[in-house]
Amino acid sequence: MKNKYQRASKLEKKEARTNFFQTDFGKNLKKRLDRLIIYSILLIAFTIYIIIDNILKDNSIINYVTAGFLLIFALVFLIGRYYVIVKNVNSFMIKNTKKK
């Protein structure tokens, strides 16, 4: 039962996420996960700005390296957010099974 969330259908996943985010822990976690999305979008936007500014001005290698690191952090935030959602909703599904 470790991967119950990943084996569930699309509708079951949506219901499980909805039910999980209605709990107290889920509400608090949703705020933090939304903050991670905002950070990721800002990092990606700043990366694009650095790359465009670097192309238009001096073409320094250090600016491309910095932009690369910022992009990596943005992707890590997005992947980590998905991992946290899957892990928590999966444990929620396992603990709250409906007995028929």
Side-chain angles (χ1 to χ4, degrees):
M1 289 293 200
K2 288 185 178 179
N3 296 321
K4 186 172 184 175
Y5 177 78
Q6 293 168 341
R7 288 183 290 158
S9 68
K10 211 175 208 183
L11 182 62
E12 290 173 341
K13 286 181 182 181
K14 187 175 181 179
E15 285 180 17
R17 279 193 309 264
T18 304
N19 292 336
F20 173 72
F21 286 127
Q22 289 176 352
T23 64
D24 289 335
F25 179 71
K27 289 177 184 176
N28 292 331
L29 186 65
K30 179 115 172 109
K31 291 177 188 176
R32 288 187 247 151
L33 294 174
D34 290 344
R35 197 176 312 139
L36 273 178
I37 283 186
I38 292 170
Y39 292 159
S40 297
I41 291 170
L42 290 175
L43 280 173
I44 291 171
F46 192 62
T47 300
I48 292 170
Y49 168 75
I50 289 175
I51 291 172
I52 290 173
D53 186 49
N54 197 31
I55 290 171
L56 295 176
K57 289 188 179 177
D58 59 356
N59 283 336
S60 174
I61 297 295
I62 192 70
N63 289 339
Y64 289 120
V65 172
T66 304
F69 279 123
L70 292 177
L71 186 63
I72 289 171
F73 280 118
L75 293 176
V76 166
F77 286 163
L78 288 175
I79 293 169
R81 178 187 181 276
Y82 175 75
Y83 176 74
V84 168
I85 289 173
V86 168
K87 181 180 145 211
N88 286 310
V89 175
N90 186 43
S91 65
F92 176 77
M93 286 177 74
I94 290 172
K95 289 178 185 176
N96 296 326
T97 56
K98 294 181 181 178
K99 296 181 181 178
K100 296 180 180 180

